[in-house]
Amino acid sequence: MALLPLPPLLFLLLLLFLGMLASRAPAQPATLHERDAAALRDLRASLRDLSGSRFFDTWDDARSPCAYAGVVCAPDDADGDDSPDSDSSSTTVLRVSVLTLGTGLADSPGLTGTLPDSLSTLAALTDLVLYPGRVSGPIPSGLGAGLRRLRLLSLAGNQLTGPVPASLAGLPDLHTLDLGGNRLDGAVPAGLLLPDSPSLKVLILANNGGISGEIPAGFASSGLFHVDLARNALAGGLPPLPATLRYFSVAGNAMQGTLDGAFGGTAGGGDDGSASPPSPLPADLAFLDLSMNNFSGRIPASVFALPGLSSLLLSRNNFTGALSVPPPSPQQEWAVVDVSHNGISGEVPEALAAAGSLYVNNNRLSGEVPAAVARSVLAGRMTTLYAQHNFLTGFPVPPAAPLPDSAALCLSYNCMELPSASAADGCPTIGGPLEARPAEQCRSTTTSGGGAGGDG
């Protein structure tokens, strides 16, 4: 006798019942790789909360390490034979994929202690973040050799010492490396500034004080977007920059030489005396800070012609000669241009009227401030004009013209009578205001070339 087909409603109820049975089946057990568990134990023994921080409160034996604060685990996708001795058909092996040490909250003081060498054994780690605190000692030298999957490494704002590990250069997936605000020293591993690190886009080693050496000549061939090497001990000249660069700072180092090689000048060339073909300039560069170094010579006009540039900071160097600033495009607006505390001579270029804040003070500039610059100040488009300590002879505005409340204007210690008291209201108060230069200085030096650093 043939079986009758089940009615549609009964068939659906049977499927639902089978699904419920499947959902009640025991979940496949998961266990953290023993090597990762050991590394977390070492971290807990090496680090501790500063007073006021409670980051490690959840790191106790009552819970799984994958439930610790800052720990993210994922199934191990490696084929390797370093998995724990267990039946892979019944146990899922987990690896630590993301490790965030500290809370990062403004009211949290962070952690203290040292980084254990076993940190390098978290082989599946892609993101490693240590929030600012007082963690000291060296960065484990084998960190890059063990963590080949790293995409983000940030250990900024601590008290780490020693060199930047050479093993961090050449990591295939590393996108962001931030070791700023520590006490690191020694040379930057060349591979971090060259195409050896193919995915590296963000490199921050600022505020260490002891990072030394020179930027390699092949720097332009890297694909970096953001490079901050400020306030260290770098020396040598500035090579051509990567065409991909958007942010670059080497402020507060000991670099020297002209900017011609970096910005398509005429320095260098072949044996026949011809200039070498310039490297492509970084068209998207928005922030350039070369201040507080020993750069010299004229500032190339091509620096001001960078189409994406918003902030140009070249103060406290040894630049000389006149400024050559091409007319900006209608879309170009500089947020700030700072060429103060150099030995720049000649007149203030009219094109600088496009700057939101302009610092040309402490140079050897002469002539009148361009009318376009004065109009920009009075219209409120330029909110800061520092032009004190030069040899300027006039500021072409009616004496009674009101200065916007938002404007900071300083014209003191020049070869002019101030057009109004407000022309000195925005001056820095250090040392007290000076209304005008002595007349004999204006007669003897207005048209003379200036030495580096202006006249003070």
Side-chain angles (χ1 to χ4, degrees):
M1 177 174 158
L3 294 176
L4 295 176
L6 292 174
L9 179 58
L10 186 57
F11 180 72
L12 290 175
L13 290 174
L14 179 60
L15 288 179
L16 180 61
F17 176 72
L18 292 175
M20 291 175 64
L21 287 178
S23 67
R24 292 186 179 184
Q28 191 177 36
T31 181
L32 182 64
H33 195 295
E34 176 52 35
R35 191 173 298 164
D36 288 17
L40 293 181
R41 289 194 295 271
D42 288 347
L43 271 171
R44 184 65 188 92
S46 299
L47 298 175
R48 66 181 184 277
D49 286 298
L50 286 166
S51 178
S53 172
R54 303 188 61 182
F55 172 74
F56 280 121
D57 281 2
T58 65
W59 286 48
D60 58 57
D61 295 335
R63 65 183 74 204
S64 163
C66 291
Y68 291 172
V71 176
V72 176
C73 299
D76 185 11
D77 57 1
D79 304 327
D81 21 85
D82 61 345
S83 298
D85 294 331
S86 59
D87 182 0
S88 60
S89 64
S90 60
T91 303
T92 299
V93 178
L94 300 176
R95 303 299 303 257
V96 177
S97 60
V98 176
L99 181 59
T100 304
L101 299 170
T103 65
L105 299 176
D107 60 349
S108 176
L111 309 177
T112 187
T114 59
L115 297 177
D117 289 340
S118 57
L119 187 60
S120 304
T121 64
L122 297 173
L125 206 59
T126 61
D127 297 59
L128 173 56
V129 175
L130 170 64
Y131 279 113
R134 297 182 191 169
V135 178
S136 58
I139 301 171
S141 60
L143 199 65
L147 309 184
R148 300 298 296 173
R149 303 186 198 179
L150 268 185
R151 298 178 306 205
L152 166 65
L153 175 60
S154 175
L155 309 176
N158 282 279
Q159 299 176 0
L160 298 169
T161 55
V164 177
S167 64
L168 295 177
L171 292 178
D173 300 318
L174 186 62
H175 178 280
T176 299
L177 175 61
D178 185 358
L179 305 179
N182 283 288
R183 300 174 182 176
L184 302 174
D185 54 28
V188 182
L192 294 176
L193 297 169
L194 296 171
D196 304 25
S197 301
S199 300
L200 190 62
K201 303 302 179 187
V202 178
L203 175 63
I204 302 173
L205 301 176
N207 299 302
N208 275 287
I211 300 293
S212 58
E214 299 185 9
I215 299 176
F219 180 46
S221 59
S222 75
L224 288 159
F225 290 168
H226 183 117
V227 176
D228 193 350
L229 306 174
R231 289 167 287 282
N232 279 295
L234 294 171
L238 184 66
L241 304 180
T244 53
L245 209 55
R246 299 171 187 172
Y247 180 109
F248 183 70
S249 176
V250 289
N253 281 281
M255 299 183 70
Q256 59 188 358
T258 72
L259 302 186
D260 292 336
F263 292 99
T266 57
D271 295 336
D272 59 355
S274 61
S276 301
S279 299
L281 295 179
D284 294 327
L285 185 62
F287 184 97
L288 177 63
D289 189 354
L290 309 181
S291 60
M292 295 179 287
N293 280 280
N294 297 314
F295 293 116
S296 57
R298 291 190 177 219
I299 300 172
S302 54
V303 174
F304 295 98
L306 293 169
L309 195 62
S310 174
S311 297
L312 176 61
L313 309 175
L314 304 177
S315 67
R316 298 184 185 276
N317 279 285
N318 298 319
F319 292 119
T320 56
L323 292 174
S324 177
V325 183
S329 66
Q331 297 79 24
Q332 190 169 25
E333 291 184 2
W334 296 299
V336 58
V337 174
D338 187 350
V339 294
S340 65
H341 294 273
N342 282 288
I344 298 169
S345 57
E347 299 186 351
V348 177
E350 182 175 307
L352 291 179
S357 294
L358 177 61
Y359 301 87
V360 294
N361 51 289
N362 296 80
N363 280 289
R364 302 191 66 83
L365 296 166
S366 57
E368 282 199 342
V369 174
V373 173
R375 288 194 299 269
S376 184
V377 172
L378 295 175
R381 294 189 298 272
M382 182 180 292
T383 57
T384 302
L385 173 59
Y386 275 17
Q388 69 272 20
H389 283 263
N390 280 290
F391 296 87
L392 299 171
T393 56
F395 188 74
V397 294
L403 189 68
D405 293 339
S406 60
L409 174 64
C410 184
L411 300 173
S412 64
Y413 212 63
N414 277 290
C415 298
M416 70 169 88
E417 289 187 11
L418 297 182
S420 65
S422 60
D425 286 349
C427 294
T429 57
I430 299 175
L434 295 172
E435 290 190 0
R437 277 186 179 277
E440 60 272 16
Q441 290 187 14
C442 293
R443 284 193 298 269
S444 62
T445 60
T446 298
T447 58
S448 66
D455 66 309

